[in-house]
Amino acid sequence: MDDHITMNKHTLPHARAEYNRLTEQLLEQLNMGLGFEELFNSVYDQLHGIVPYNRIAVALLEEPTKLLRLTSCRSDGDISLKVGYAAHLKGSTLAPLLETGQPRIIDDLDEYLSNKRKSPSTELILREGMKSSLTLPLLSDGKPIGVIFFSSRKKYIYTLEHATLLRQLAGHIAISIEKARRLHELQQKNRELAEANRAKDEFLDLLKSEVEKQTNQLRASEQRYRLLAQINQIINSSLDVRKVFEYAANEIHKLLSCDRVSLLLNRSRETSRHGFAIEFLSEGYRSVDIPIRATSGSAFDWVMEHRIPRVVRSLEDSQAFPEDTLLYNLGYRSNIYLPLLSRERSAGVLGVASRQIEQPDCWDQELLNEISGQLAIALDNAAAYGEIDRLKADLEQQNVYLRDEIRVDRAFGDIIGNSRAMQQVRVAIEQVAQSDSNVLIVGETGTGKELIARAIHDHSRRSEKLLVKVNCAALAPGVIASELFGHETGAFTGATDRRTGRFELAHGGSIFLDEISEIPFETQVMLLRVLQERTIERVGGNDPIKVDARVIVATNRDLKTHVEQNNFREDLYYRLNVFPIRVPPLRERREDIPALLNHFIERFSLRMNKSVTRVERRTMDLLTDYHWPGNVRELENITERSMIISQGDTLKVEGAWLSGDSDLNTKQSFDGKQSLANHERRLILDALARSGGKVYGPDGAAAALKVKPTTLYGKMRKHNIKGSRHHSSSD
């Protein structure tokens, strides 16, 4: 039998179906009057392929001596621990099983015996070759009558799933044993009646009474398992935990005459719990939502930790936890909490309460354990589908990001230019692309730093994954941490849903942080942790999340000076400055201007449906002589403007467009006596004055000057213009 199937998530549904078929067959045999030994042999023969075992045995509790005696045993090999072996229950390791009604799993009998040397029974089953065991208590009407042992020649073979699956079988075996015991009692009474020569009619009446009693007990058991089958059907047909709970709560109320049934669930990685309850009143029932509360120091926390029921027979005498006091104030006088266990984890807690003291003594706790197991399965299924929905939402978010990426017009296409400076940049890209080292790209505004980051990513082994781009200067200081690292539900006002951060989106790929010098000091600390430990924490969360993203940053500022001015962390600077790449300004590679110009003409010709094939000689001279403060981006804008007004096949550029930053407000006349820098500064101040100091938005200074807000901020720093709310042209 070493080839018995071990249950896992793939074989379990088939094993459950086979097990249910066996259970129905055993119940039918039990109703037909088969004896315990016949049922025991049937169990041994038919459990093959459902539960792993090489040996099954049953020991019964003898009263009043409290001896556990081995009454039945089947094995595929020699038997050393023989039928008739007895040991005292008191002080044994089996005593807690019969007290709590919980199963016991020993994964390694050799190790167990080494820690508990005086265990003759363990030595004997080890001699038989057994390596692990699963022991389940046999309960009849909630009282212990013995135990059933499943043993295997393999270590670490049994799981809580096996214990859950076999609990119902143990109930059937207990019924069979109890039936045999009661029949034995009837036979003994029959002999006593015969010896006393009592009347035949009196004996028949007594026998009839006992048979009816047993029949009623069997009917009650049948009703119990019919209820469990109905609950199981509801679980399999619905993922609505509340619907399943309401059905189970009403059935529990009918069977136990309780006054309240509640379901408490984990929330936010087990730091708090919430739930709902049904209270049964004389005029009907009502549903109650249980608010979110911390789990620490609660009865919920105790049950989840110990994984055993907590029974309070009198809330008047015991109020050890806040829930006890709350129930007492609501008028309840006794209650029981049961853990919901599924796949070796606690999914929640089922509560049953009564307005009468000592009511748990009258409740069928075995039935409650069975219902708890099925509710745990329902919660587990709902959690699994919830995780699928979460992953689906994350995938949709990635798809949205990818669609945005597709819509973005990559400013320069491929890297254009064969100047010596650009050849050095290409060499640097090839050198660093295949590594995972951090890259710091420095260069003036408009030089194409983002294009360099894209090239590094595309030539790396991460190219099949996302390159996630973040413009740090475009994010308000209060939201940049949420954008980078994500946030949990309720982390701040307006955080109605959990959000995946940019670092999580970039997992397996690369993340490009543009304008890195603009991130707040407190966010720099969080970024440093990502670089050092490769972990993040969402805003409002406490759990570390592993991320694997290659970090590429860019800035148009001198970060070293920024560090010296205490505006940027020195340790973060050295973490980022592993492999610096300087992107040269356009004035240092003027020989690339013709190639760039042809590239832009070709692109804009397709977009505008125009055919421009030549560049005026004067225009080319103007472009190559100009100092290009706006670099390649300025050249692109000048080219686009020229293409718009072009009527023939020749591109012409007006010299007035090159009088400073051509994107600025051209309504202002240019005074030849002013320097280009002074003129640019005056235009910025006028625009800030008209917008009330506002930079972003459709009514901001950046929109009025037709430049990006980040470009305007760079020019404001260049001209030492503070970002105040009021500016005037007289500044």
Side-chain angles (χ1 to χ4, degrees):
M1 279 183 287
D2 289 336
D3 59 345
H4 288 167
I5 297 173
T6 301
M7 290 187 296
N8 54 46
K9 64 181 180 180
H10 301 296
T11 62
L12 183 57
H14 173 71
R16 284 191 179 275
E18 289 296 315
Y19 176 81
N20 290 336
R21 181 190 60 77
L22 172 60
T23 301
E24 293 174 0
Q25 183 175 346
L26 292 178
L27 185 58
E28 180 180 356
Q29 292 174 347
L30 183 61
N31 290 333
M32 291 173 61
L34 293 184
F36 167 72
E37 284 299 324
E38 293 173 290
L39 289 175
F40 180 79
N41 291 334
S42 178
V43 168
Y44 181 86
D45 293 333
Q46 296 188 51
L47 272 180
H48 294 179
I50 302 176
V51 178
Y53 63 89
N54 299 94
R55 179 183 189 277
I56 303 179
V58 173
L60 299 180
L61 184 62
E62 295 180 354
E63 299 287 354
T65 58
K66 296 296 183 180
L67 282 176
L68 266 178
R69 187 176 302 279
L70 192 67
T71 60
S72 299
C73 180
R74 285 287 303 275
S75 176
D76 61 354
D78 295 335
I79 298 177
S80 299
L81 184 59
K82 299 183 182 298
V83 172
Y85 179 90
H88 285 284
L89 177 64
K90 184 177 181 181
S92 73
T93 58
L94 295 177
L97 272 71
L98 295 178
E99 292 174 1
T100 64
Q102 300 299 310
R104 181 187 71 179
I105 296 174
I106 300 179
D107 293 319
D108 189 342
L109 289 171
D110 290 299
E111 182 181 357
Y112 174 81
L113 187 60
S114 66
N115 296 326
K116 182 177 175 53
R117 299 188 180 279
K118 294 182 179 180
S119 181
S121 60
T122 304
E123 294 177 352
L124 289 172
I125 64 172
L126 275 172
R127 189 181 303 169
E128 295 178 19
M130 304 303 155
K131 298 299 183 182
S132 61
S133 69
L134 166 61
T135 307
L136 295 101
L138 298 175
L139 305 176
S140 179
D141 293 332
K143 297 180 180 179
I145 64 170
V147 291
I148 181 169
F149 306 89
F150 292 81
S151 304
S152 174
R153 299 184 188 279
K154 294 182 180 180
K155 298 179 180 180
Y156 299 96
I157 198 70
Y158 294 109
T159 67
L160 288 178
E161 282 289 317
H162 294 123
T164 302
L165 192 64
L166 291 170
R167 188 187 294 272
Q168 185 178 358
L169 178 64
H172 286 308
I173 292 176
I175 292 173
S176 175
I177 294 172
E178 191 66 12
K179 178 180 178 181
R181 180 177 291 178
R182 292 182 184 276
L183 288 175
H184 176 73
E185 292 175 357
L186 286 175
Q187 293 169 358
Q188 180 65 27
K189 289 181 179 180
N190 186 31
R191 287 192 294 268
E192 293 175 356
L193 289 172
E195 292 172 1
N197 198 23
R198 292 182 179 179
K200 182 179 180 181
D201 292 340
E202 182 181 353
F203 168 73
L204 292 175
D205 290 342
L206 180 59
L207 181 60
K208 180 180 179 181
S209 174
E210 291 294 332
V211 170
E212 287 179 352
K213 181 179 178 181
Q214 278 201 7
T215 302
N216 290 335
Q217 290 175 344
L218 290 175
R219 287 174 179 170
S221 297
E222 185 178 358
Q223 180 183 10
R224 172 197 299 169
Y225 293 115
R226 186 179 294 112
L227 167 63
L228 294 175
Q230 291 171 347
I231 294 177
N232 185 64
Q233 184 178 4
I234 294 294
I235 289 174
N236 291 332
S237 62
S238 175
L239 292 174
D240 188 339
V241 174
R242 190 156 195 159
K243 177 181 177 182
V244 174
F245 164 72
E246 289 178 354
Y247 178 85
N250 278 284
E251 294 300 325
I252 292 172
H253 170 67
K254 293 176 185 177
L255 289 173
L256 306 184
S257 297
C258 59
D259 299 308
R260 173 185 165 108
V261 182
S262 61
L263 180 63
L264 300 174
L265 305 172
N266 289 331
R267 184 180 178 90
S268 299
R269 290 187 170 85
E270 302 183 5
T271 59
S272 63
R273 55 87 171 164
H274 75 296
F276 29 83
I278 292 182
E279 296 180 340
F280 298 94
L281 311 170
S282 57
E283 64 275 13
Y285 68 89
R286 66 179 178 183
S287 297
V288 178
D289 285 330
I290 300 175
I292 298 172
R293 292 192 179 93
T295 61
S296 178
S298 65
F300 175 87
D301 189 36
W302 188 94
V303 174
M304 294 282 284
E305 178 182 355
H306 292 81
R307 298 190 173 191
I308 59 174
R310 178 177 181 269
V311 180
V312 180
R313 301 173 68 251
S314 174
L315 287 170
E316 294 179 351
D317 302 328
S318 175
Q319 297 181 23
F321 295 103
E323 293 96 326
D324 299 334
T325 303
L326 180 62
L327 286 174
Y328 183 81
N329 293 336
L330 292 174
Y332 299 99
R333 294 299 177 260
S334 60
N335 82 303
I336 180 172
Y337 280 141
L338 300 101
L340 303 179
L341 305 176
S342 177
R343 294 195 296 183
E344 300 186 5
R345 77 177 186 91
S346 299
V349 170
L350 175 67
V352 183
S354 173
R355 293 185 178 89
Q356 305 296 324
I357 64 171
E358 301 180 355
Q359 280 299 105
D361 295 342
C362 305
W363 293 340
D364 188 343
Q365 293 190 25
E366 184 180 358
L367 174 62
L368 287 175
N369 286 330
E370 293 280 1
I371 295 175
S372 298
Q374 293 189 326
L375 283 175
I377 294 173
L379 292 175
D380 201 39
N381 290 341
Y385 279 92
E387 180 67 9
I388 291 173
D389 288 342
R390 185 190 68 78
L391 293 174
K392 180 181 178 182
D394 287 349
L395 182 59
E396 289 175 350
Q397 186 173 353
Q398 289 190 26
N399 288 339
V400 169
Y401 182 83
L402 286 172
R403 288 195 296 269
D404 291 342
E405 281 286 281
I406 293 171
R407 287 194 295 268
V408 170
D409 184 9
R410 295 183 186 174
F412 313 122
D414 296 328
I415 299 176
I416 306 298
N418 289 312
S419 62
R420 181 176 180 82
M422 290 308 297
Q423 290 177 5
Q424 292 175 348
V425 171
R426 286 193 182 91
V427 170
I429 292 172
E430 292 176 357
Q431 290 173 336
V432 78
Q434 291 302 316
S435 73
D436 276 341
S437 299
N438 301 330
V439 179
L440 173 62
I441 305 172
V442 296
E444 296 178 7
T445 298
T447 53
K449 297 185 289 296
E450 182 180 321
L451 180 65
I452 304 302
R454 168 63 68 180
I456 293 172
H457 174 77
D458 288 345
H459 288 79
S460 73
R461 60 175 179 269
R462 298 172 179 264
S463 58
E464 297 299 322
K465 300 292 185 177
L466 284 177
L467 169 63
V468 177
K469 296 176 291 185
V470 183
N471 190 324
C472 301
L475 297 173
V479 302
I480 189 169
S482 172
E483 285 291 327
L484 291 178
F485 310 115
H487 63 251
E488 298 287 354
T489 303
F492 49 83
T493 302
T496 56
D497 296 307
R498 192 185 73 175
R499 178 184 177 86
T500 300
R502 299 297 180 90
F503 268 96
E504 285 185 80
L505 278 178
H507 182 73
S510 307
I511 186 168
F512 174 54
L513 304 178
D514 198 7
E515 303 289 355
I516 187 65
S517 61
E518 303 305 315
I519 66 173
F521 211 78
E522 57 271 18
T523 310
Q524 294 178 26
V525 178
M526 302 170 71
L527 181 58
L528 181 64
R529 181 187 178 189
V530 177
L531 298 176
Q532 291 175 336
E533 304 176 15
R534 297 294 177 180
T535 60
I536 64 169
E537 287 183 4
R538 296 193 187 100
V539 176
N542 298 315
D543 298 321
I545 301 171
K546 288 287 184 181
V547 292
D548 174 25
R550 201 251 185 91
V551 178
I552 306 171
V553 301
T555 181
N556 60 3
R557 303 186 64 175
D558 184 351
L559 270 190
K560 186 64 176 175
T561 302
H562 219 38
V563 170
E564 294 171 353
Q565 295 173 350
N566 293 323
N567 293 324
F568 200 83
R569 291 181 63 95
E570 184 176 20
D571 48 3
L572 178 58
Y573 167 73
Y574 287 115
R575 281 281 182 179
L576 296 173
N577 194 32
V578 175
F579 193 92
I581 296 178
R582 178 180 177 271
V583 185
L586 188 56
R587 61 183 173 274
E588 293 182 9
R589 57 183 188 111
R590 298 177 186 272
E591 59 268 40
D592 291 333
I593 291 176
L596 288 167
L597 187 61
N598 288 333
H599 172 73
F600 293 139
I601 290 173
E602 181 180 352
R603 180 146 59 90
F604 291 131
S605 293
L606 290 174
R607 184 185 301 175
M608 301 178 185
N609 195 23
K610 289 187 175 183
S611 178
V612 175
T613 59
R614 297 190 305 151
V615 178
E616 186 184 54
R617 179 68 184 178
R618 174 179 166 277
T619 293
M620 185 61 74
D621 292 340
L622 280 172
L623 297 179
T624 54
D625 291 341
Y626 183 51
H627 66 285
W628 297 109
N631 293 295
V632 179
R633 185 180 295 123
E634 185 180 5
L635 175 60
E636 179 186 20
N637 294 339
I638 291 291
T639 306
E640 183 176 9
R641 181 184 299 182
S642 301
M643 291 287 294
I644 292 172
I645 66 174
S646 175
Q647 299 298 323
D649 62 351
T650 303
L651 184 78
K652 297 180 181 180
V653 173
E654 296 293 334
W657 297 351
L658 303 180
S659 57
D661 188 350
S662 61
D663 288 82
L664 296 177
N665 192 337
T666 57
K667 292 182 180 180
Q668 296 287 336
S669 60
F670 177 68
D671 186 353
K673 296 181 180 180
Q674 292 180 314
S675 68
L676 288 172
N678 289 337
H679 180 65
E680 186 177 75
R681 187 174 191 275
R682 176 64 56 192
L683 294 177
I684 294 173
L685 289 171
D686 289 344
L688 288 171
R690 289 194 300 273
S691 65
K694 185 177 180 181
V695 175
Y696 286 87
D699 56 346
L705 296 172
K706 298 181 181 179
V707 297
K708 292 183 178 180
T710 53
T711 301
L712 181 56
Y713 271 127
K715 293 184 180 296
M716 289 169 64
R717 288 192 295 270
K718 172 184 174 182
H719 295 295
N720 197 27
I721 299 174
K722 303 297 183 181
S724 61
R725 295 292 297 176
H726 300 287
H727 299 273
S728 67
S729 58
S730 61
D731 287 345

